[in-house]
Each structure stands twice: as C-alpha cells, then as structure tokens.
Amino acid sequence: MAWIKKLFPLNVFEILLKTSGKLPYLRFKVSKGAPATQFKFLKNSSFTDEVSRQTLVFHLEGALLKSYSQFPYLMLVAFEAGGLFRAVILLLLYPLAWLLGHELGLRLLVFVSFAGIKKDKFRAGTAILPKFFLEDVGVIGFDMVSKYKRKVAVTGMPRIMVECFLRDYLGTDAIIARELKEFHGYFLGLMEEKMDAAPVINQEMTTHNIGLGCSRKSHNQKFLSHCKEIYMVTEAEKNTWQVLPRKRYVKQLIFHDGRLAFRPTPLKALAMFIWLPFGFLVHIIRIMVFTSLPYKFSIPLLAFSGMINTVSKVESPVSSVKSAEKRRGVLYVCNHRTLLDPVYIAIALMKSVSAVTYSLSRFSEVISPIKTVRLTRNRVKDGGLMTKMLSKGDLVVCPEGTTCREPYLLRFSPLFAELTDEIVPVAIKLKVSMFYGSTASGIKSLDSTFHLMNPNPSCLIVILNKLPIWQTHNAGGKTKFEVANHVQGQIATALGFECTDLTRKHKYMILAGNEGIM
C-alpha cells in the first residue's frame, strides 16, 4: 500500500477506502469536473453498479480481449483476403515490426495486410474476424463492458476490421478507430495519422464518462483524458481471465467464413507454413489410398495417416429393401459439415453409396471416390434424379443445402421425404485443427484439399434408427415438412446441436453478399 500512497494523495485514498469499505478496484476518481490525470489498477472482477447515466469508454485490446496482440487478426486478413504469399511476407516482417515499436510496427503490418486489396470485395471484417474476436473475449472484461448501456470502443486496429464485431456482437454505440486510406476502390494500406476521440465521446457523454484501459504503455491511452473515472487492467489480472462461453454471446455466431481454423499467432502461423508442403503430400496420399484400395485396407491406412473416424450405430446396418416390383436403396439423410460427408458415411457403412449435393465443383466431382451428382435446385428435376439414383442403390443427401461449421442445423429441405419411406438419419460432427474444408467466398474446388491437409481431422458419425413407417410421408401420412423437421430434431439431439430456420440464402447473404447461386 505504501506505493499507492506515494502516487495518490492520502486524503483521496482514505475517502475511497472509507466509503466503499473494500476497494472493488484500485481506482482514481476526480471531482469538480476536471479530467482524470492519474490511474489506478484493477484488482478483481467487481465493478461499479451506478451505470444508468454513465458512458463506458473502453480499450478493445487492453480491456476486453485476453490477448494484447493484434498480429493474429492482421494475419487472418493477409491470409484470407490477400493470399498465401502475402501471409508469408507478413510473418517474415513480424520481427522487424516488433523492433520498430508498437505504433510503427502496427503501421507496417497493416500496410502488408491491406495494400492493394479491393475495398468492395473485403469481407473479412464481417465474415471471418468476429469469430476470432469472440473466442478471445475474457469473461471479466465482458462483464465489465456489458454492464453499461452506452459503450464507446477504442482500438488501434483499422475500423473496417472491428466494426462488425463491436456493433453486432457487443452492442457498442460508437467506435474510435482509424480509417484506411484508399485509391480508386483499393486500400493503400495506410491508416489515418490520428484518431480524434473528443467528438465521439462528447456525443455519447452523459453525466460523466468511465474509462477502462490497460496498463501497457504501448497502447494509446489518450482517450482516457476525456473520462472522469478511470480503471486500468493489469497483465496479471488478464492472465486469470477465462474465455467467454458461447452461451453468453450477445448474438449467436452461426455463420463464419475463411480457411484458417485456429488463431494464427506468430508461432502457430510459422508451424502452419512449415506443415503446408507435408500437408499437401498427405492429402494426395489419403486420396490415393481411399480411391485405390478396398475398405478393409484403406480405413486402417487412413487412420495411420492421422484421420480419426468414430462410428456409433444405434442398430445394425440397414439393408436395402426388396419389394415384389423393384429393389430400392436406402436414403441416408445427414447434416452437412463438409463436402466429404458422404465419403465418411461410406467409410462408416463399409460399402459404396452415391451422393447428391448442391455445391460441387467439376474438380471435386472428378476426384470423388464415390459417385457424386450435382443438383440443379429445380425441385422436379432434382426429385426425378434422386428417385433414379435410389432405384440403383443407397443414396446420401444433405437437406441443409450448404455446410454449417457451428453447432447449429439449418432448415432441412423436405424434398427427401417425398422420395421414399426408407429413411435413415445420420448425425455427423467434424473437428479440424488447422483448415476448414468449406468456404462461401473462396475457391470451392479446394474444399476437399484443405480438409485433407489437416494433420488430424476427426469425424464422429452416429447412424440413427430408420424412421418408423408411422413417421414417414408416403405410408405414414405425415406431411413432408413434419418428416423433415423430425429428422432435423433427431440429428440435433444426437449431436447436442440447436435447430434453426436459417437457409443457404441466409448464409451466403451474410458471408458473401449473394444468394449462393453457382
């Protein structure tokens, strides 16, 4: 306590101690309307409750996110919006940026990440970065920020990177951040020299502003000069923070895009670039093994290569149905996680199946180890095509119509319920550590490549009971919508997922700005 008394007048410290009994934070409060000029530091997670007439001005990297580093988010921009070569350059220049200091180093990294990128094509700020920001939010920081109805965020990153996250997923009223300069619709990679906080803060100001910053000197704390009461978060405090759980998100994250499945810190990014040539070789070997060898040989070899497949069957495998007139196959209805879902089901069943899908490139169709046919989105044509394929054998269909990475199921198209009563729901849960094998705005022909380049992709497949006759459309009298919703509910229950009414159009409008028509 001695150092606190030296830094702050004794009478101020004693007044705070006497009025509160126990300091929720070590803080400095200034009366008579003067701006605060000294700071005290956050000690624990409690915070003032007198917030109805106050505005919180907080530092994004210092007071909300667990990590101070801005490099991972710039690496995501470089890799997803600029490509592999730009990402390599960014990583190579990181040591130089560190030596230049925070401000100059940040400007260098921003320049490498953004220079030459077309502004109207840039969607990383809305489709990719919010996921990684949310996964870096600390519970205590979130609790402090969410207590205030009016919030102003301050960040050193360009506005275009953070605006969607702060407004849509945090409910921030205003953002103090620098704009990127552009020329003829292309980013120059240069940030504005200064960001003036006064106009924004004065517009949101009520009786007085509360400032929430960080103890690091490298971060700009000038915005705190507009605050009457200031709290500072120490590094020791942030090290104890837990990540904000998904159930506490202000807005649920259902859709996100991009190839990287991990937060690319400098060391993790270096590991990824080292792995890439080996990963590409492994992906070729995995394709050759599955396409050229019988299941009893290919499955152990795939497991040896790092692919982990877990199969759970509620009952014995369903056999195809024979009637007096004709023989029809079984329709396996599954949720959609990646282009390889039908392949995983074939591995689980240890037999060949056919598949239909909406999003299939010519390249993927050629290299597919099972028969795969593209649908046209014409109900009459697609229904006839699937009926024909069922007459020849078992068929896999993904009625969501597009992939979803998060623990949600999109609305199931009811077309499958009209085709047959031999319906077996299949639940699929996928886990990857490095790359996502799906994209809304990228090159779809590389989906299977990226998925198979993961060091240890794992897939859980749960084969559920065949629908009883009374739960079907043709023989059971259920409507096709009732059947579709029932199957969706069964799969969601098996995986612990949540059902939604969202569709492919919703996903592509959010992530790519179009309706997803290829």
Side-chain angles (χ1 to χ4, degrees):
M1 290 298 196
W3 66 274
I4 297 176
K5 294 181 180 180
K6 290 180 181 179
L7 286 175
F8 301 96
L10 182 60
N11 57 341
V12 174
F13 179 76
E14 288 178 345
I15 289 172
L16 285 172
L17 189 58
K18 288 177 181 178
T19 54
S20 62
K22 179 182 177 181
L23 285 176
Y25 296 89
L26 294 179
R27 65 182 184 179
F28 184 71
K29 187 173 181 179
V30 176
S31 57
K32 299 181 181 179
T37 56
Q38 300 184 65
F39 311 132
K40 286 198 175 181
F41 296 96
L42 178 63
K43 279 292 184 183
N44 57 47
S45 60
S46 43
F47 205 47
T48 177
D49 292 324
E50 301 174 1
V51 298
S52 59
R53 294 177 297 174
Q54 299 171 346
T55 297
L56 178 70
V57 184
F58 69 94
H59 194 275
L60 173 62
E61 298 93 308
L64 182 68
L65 304 181
K66 282 175 56 64
S67 171
Y68 292 103
S69 177
Q70 297 151 328
F71 175 84
Y73 309 110
L74 292 168
M75 173 57 76
L76 287 165
V77 171
F79 186 90
E80 305 291 0
L84 180 63
F85 183 67
R86 186 189 295 260
V88 172
I89 294 177
L90 185 74
L91 181 63
L92 293 175
L93 290 177
Y94 175 71
L96 175 61
W98 183 80
L99 292 173
L100 289 175
H102 181 265
E103 181 61 22
L104 288 178
L106 176 62
R107 288 181 177 275
L108 173 62
L109 297 180
V110 169
F111 177 80
V112 174
S113 301
F114 280 94
I117 292 178
K118 198 171 184 179
K119 183 178 180 180
D120 62 0
K121 297 292 185 181
F122 182 81
R123 304 194 66 85
T126 56
I128 299 172
L129 293 177
K131 169 189 180 291
F132 293 93
F133 283 128
L134 284 168
E135 291 177 349
D136 196 30
V137 172
V139 172
I140 295 178
F142 177 81
D143 288 339
M144 292 186 291
V145 171
S146 61
K147 283 187 177 183
Y148 286 80
K149 183 178 180 180
R150 289 177 292 273
K151 299 179 280 288
V152 177
V154 181
T155 177
M157 289 181 279
R159 175 185 291 271
I160 198 169
M161 291 178 60
V162 301
E163 188 165 20
C164 176
F165 162 68
L166 289 171
R167 293 195 185 277
D168 295 349
Y169 293 92
L170 205 63
T172 303
D173 299 286
I175 302 168
I176 301 171
R178 286 172 288 193
E179 301 285 355
L180 284 171
K181 297 179 181 180
E182 57 180 285
F183 181 75
H184 289 293
Y186 289 86
F187 289 123
L188 297 176
L190 304 175
M191 293 190 293
E192 298 291 345
E193 291 298 323
K194 297 179 180 179
M195 51 181 179
D196 188 4
V200 176
I201 294 179
N202 291 335
Q203 183 180 359
E204 297 293 333
M205 185 182 292
T206 50
T207 55
H208 71 275
N209 295 330
I210 302 295
L212 183 61
C214 62
S215 58
R216 279 200 171 190
K217 295 180 180 180
S218 59
H219 289 280
N220 191 342
Q221 308 287 2
K222 291 181 180 179
F223 71 94
L224 294 175
S225 63
H226 301 277
C227 302
K228 308 299 181 182
E229 189 172 348
I230 298 166
Y231 297 81
M232 302 295 284
V233 182
T234 64
E235 292 191 51
E237 175 73 17
K238 290 187 72 171
N239 289 337
T240 65
W241 287 5
Q242 300 296 318
V243 176
L244 183 71
R246 175 185 295 275
K247 63 182 179 181
R248 295 196 58 193
Y249 288 178
V250 174
K251 173 186 175 182
Q252 289 303 312
L253 180 74
I254 299 178
F255 300 123
H256 59 87
D257 203 10
R259 291 295 190 184
L260 296 186
F262 66 100
R263 186 171 178 272
T265 61
L267 286 178
K268 289 183 178 180
L270 177 61
M272 177 193 70
F273 289 126
I274 293 174
W275 167 255
L276 275 178
F278 300 100
F280 187 77
L281 179 62
V282 168
H283 128 266
I284 294 176
I285 293 173
R286 286 169 174 170
I287 292 177
M288 293 177 61
V289 166
F290 190 81
T291 55
S292 61
L293 296 177
Y295 290 108
K296 62 179 180 179
F297 296 119
S298 64
I299 292 176
L301 289 175
L302 290 173
F304 181 76
S305 75
M307 296 187 69
I308 304 171
N309 301 320
T310 305
V311 181
S312 174
K313 298 180 181 179
V314 175
E315 62 177 18
S316 58
V318 180
S319 59
S320 298
V321 177
K322 290 184 179 180
S323 66
E325 298 180 359
K326 58 182 178 179
R327 178 185 182 277
R328 290 172 59 85
V330 173
L331 183 63
Y332 292 94
V333 180
C334 69
N335 59 310
H336 203 7
R337 309 305 282 181
T338 179
L339 187 63
L340 297 179
D341 292 338
V343 177
Y344 280 115
I345 293 177
I347 292 174
L349 297 173
M350 294 282 288
K351 65 178 182 179
S352 181
V353 296
S354 299
V356 290
T357 181
Y358 291 103
S359 301
L360 183 69
S361 67
R362 292 292 184 185
F363 176 74
S364 298
E365 189 174 0
V366 170
I367 68 170
S368 175
I370 63 175
K371 184 178 180 180
T372 308
V373 179
R374 285 190 294 177
L375 297 176
T376 63
R377 300 191 184 280
N378 181 300
R379 293 183 61 83
V380 176
K381 290 182 179 180
D382 292 342
L385 175 63
M386 287 190 282
T387 300
K388 182 179 179 180
M389 296 181 71
L390 273 171
S391 67
K392 298 179 180 179
D394 296 338
L395 179 65
V396 177
V397 62
C398 305
E400 288 177 288
T402 188
T403 58
C404 182
R405 299 170 176 177
E406 298 302 313
Y408 298 93
L409 295 185
L410 308 187
R411 189 174 71 196
F412 275 30
S413 169
L415 178 59
F416 73 90
E418 304 174 15
L419 306 178
T420 180
D421 292 337
E422 298 297 317
I423 299 173
V424 178
V426 180
I428 297 179
K429 181 182 288 187
L430 199 67
K431 185 177 181 181
V432 295
S433 58
M434 191 169 288
F435 303 110
Y436 286 116
S438 61
T439 181
S441 57
I443 303 174
K444 291 188 175 295
S445 59
L446 297 179
D447 283 358
S448 57
T449 297
F450 273 104
H451 178 75
L452 293 174
M453 283 174 62
N454 280 288
N456 299 105
S458 63
C459 184
L460 170 65
I461 303 169
V462 183
I463 302 176
L464 304 174
N465 285 320
K466 185 182 76 172
L467 290 190
I469 292 297
W470 59 272
Q471 283 284 3
T472 62
H473 172 64
N474 298 314
K478 297 288 185 181
T479 68
K480 59 184 180 180
F481 300 103
E482 288 176 325
V483 176
N485 291 338
H486 176 68
V487 172
Q488 183 195 38
Q490 278 194 315
I491 294 175
T493 301
L495 297 175
F497 285 6
E498 182 178 336
C499 295
T500 74
D501 289 326
L502 301 175
T503 65
R504 174 189 177 89
K505 287 185 178 181
H506 293 104
K507 170 184 170 179
Y508 277 85
M509 286 302 298
I510 293 171
L511 300 183
N514 58 59
E515 295 187 354
I517 304 299
M518 294 184 64

